[in-house]
Amino acid sequence: MIRSQGKSFKWQGEYSGDLNCARTLNTELGVLSSFKPVIAEKQRDIKYLFLANVDPDIQNHLLSHMRRPRLIGLDSMNFWIKHKRPALLRLLKKVDIFVANDQEARDLSGETNLIKAAKKLSRLGPRMVLIKKGEHGVLFCSKDFTVSLPAYPTDKVIDPTGAGDTFAGAFMGYLAKAGRLDVAAIKKALAYGTVAASFNIEDFGAGKTSCFTLADLDKRLNKLREMVKF
Amino acid sequence: MIRSQGKSFKWQGEYSGDLNCARTLNTELGVLSSFKPVIAEKQRDIKYLFLANVDPDIQNHLLSHMRRPRLIGLDSMNFWIKHKRPALLRLLKKVDIFVANDQEARDLSGETNLIKAAKKLSRLGPRMVLIKKGEHGVLFCSKDFTVSLPAYPTDKVIDPTGAGDTFAGAFMGYLAKAGRLDVAAIKKALAYGTVAASFNIEDFGAGKTSCFTLADLDKRLNKLREMVKF
């Protein structure tokens, strides 16, 4: 059993056996319970915005200060799905991509089949839904296409905490660089997300993510590309 | 909740919610408890042999009558892992490919990480290990390479009973046709397995598998190939 804690508030959970699935033991909001972020003037023009997991009211406050973001990603977690569902549902209508893990997608949609879950979530607002499945890879659904990619295979799993954020960061980062949202760009962004996350899990905290290079990422990206080519 | 039964003996299980995971309610061996298959003379020269899931002693009996199979695949299930582990372990030393679902692989290896599980299983004898993960696709490990492919995405999941056998049949069938075991042939065989299984789950029993054509398979194969290309 591994206990871990992450995010700027205090989340405590455990992974027992299956490292794909964290069980929440306790969530303390701490300073974030009354946090009102102040957005600097020049940050209001950010084009690629990722609303990382905090209270949906804080995410909404932040979003309301942005001028014209080109792409808005949204993450959340079980705590908000349970305790702030109406606020989360309102926010979903304002974002382009909803990012969730498989359990969150099932909890929020009420569907067990993940493709059905993704489709149902996209009817709640976001035109794209990205479901992270840990060692089982990623599922992406939009109105126009569905993509499923396997995870980069590794048996060195030390701590999966933060893997989802790492995935989202690399995914959004690649899209910002590409400047396009077509299927080819989305697939490459998903692939960058999965290989970035594969580094994250190989050490505690940001032990690995703080020091890998773009060349490291590209090496794994090429291996992943080769692996799925048939 | 779906109850289903399959195989020539009587297995009763249920799928509740997550259709990836069947819970065994009861297994009755019936006529297979004392079955001694008689192998016709000309069948002894079969080159590509798949020992489908029955008592490992019956599988071993059958294997002992074959002359020189080029490739031997082995399937099993939780009942034999629990009740006939020594016989199963002996048999594993005589086969080339062990085919299991994720739970069986974990049960037999004692490892939760599936890549570790596959590596451990391959140390028990088979030079190749194929782990079927339902909607999450397939993982294949040999000494020389690891391949992970996503499942063909479908939200029409009626009954997954038999999907594993359908996968194995298409996988072995393609390898028999290809006559090679290099990485390209294995990947294509895995892809045929996954698309064949995707038809199986779309109806009860052999409702779909009894009538699809090679053209149907190839159509989904091409879609899968396109989906994972980035």
Side-chain angles (χ1 to χ4, degrees), chain B residues 42-50 66-73 96 172 175-176:
Chain B
K42 70 174 185 179
Q43 289 179 321
R44 296 186 182 192
D45 286 317
I46 283 173
K47 292 298 173 208
Y48 291 82
L49 181 69
F50 183 67
M66 305 307 290
R67 284 198 189 95
R68 290 196 53 162
R70 198 171 292 153
L71 187 73
I72 307 164
D96 301 296
M172 292 290 293
L175 289 181

Side-chain angles (χ1 to χ4, degrees), chain A residues 187 225-226 229-230, chain B residues 187 225-227 229-230:
Chain A
K187 287 199 285 189
R225 177 187 282 132
E226 196 53 43
K229 204 167 81 181
F230 62 84
Chain B
K187 287 199 285 188
R225 176 188 284 131
E226 196 53 41
M227 184 185 81
K229 204 166 81 180
F230 63 85

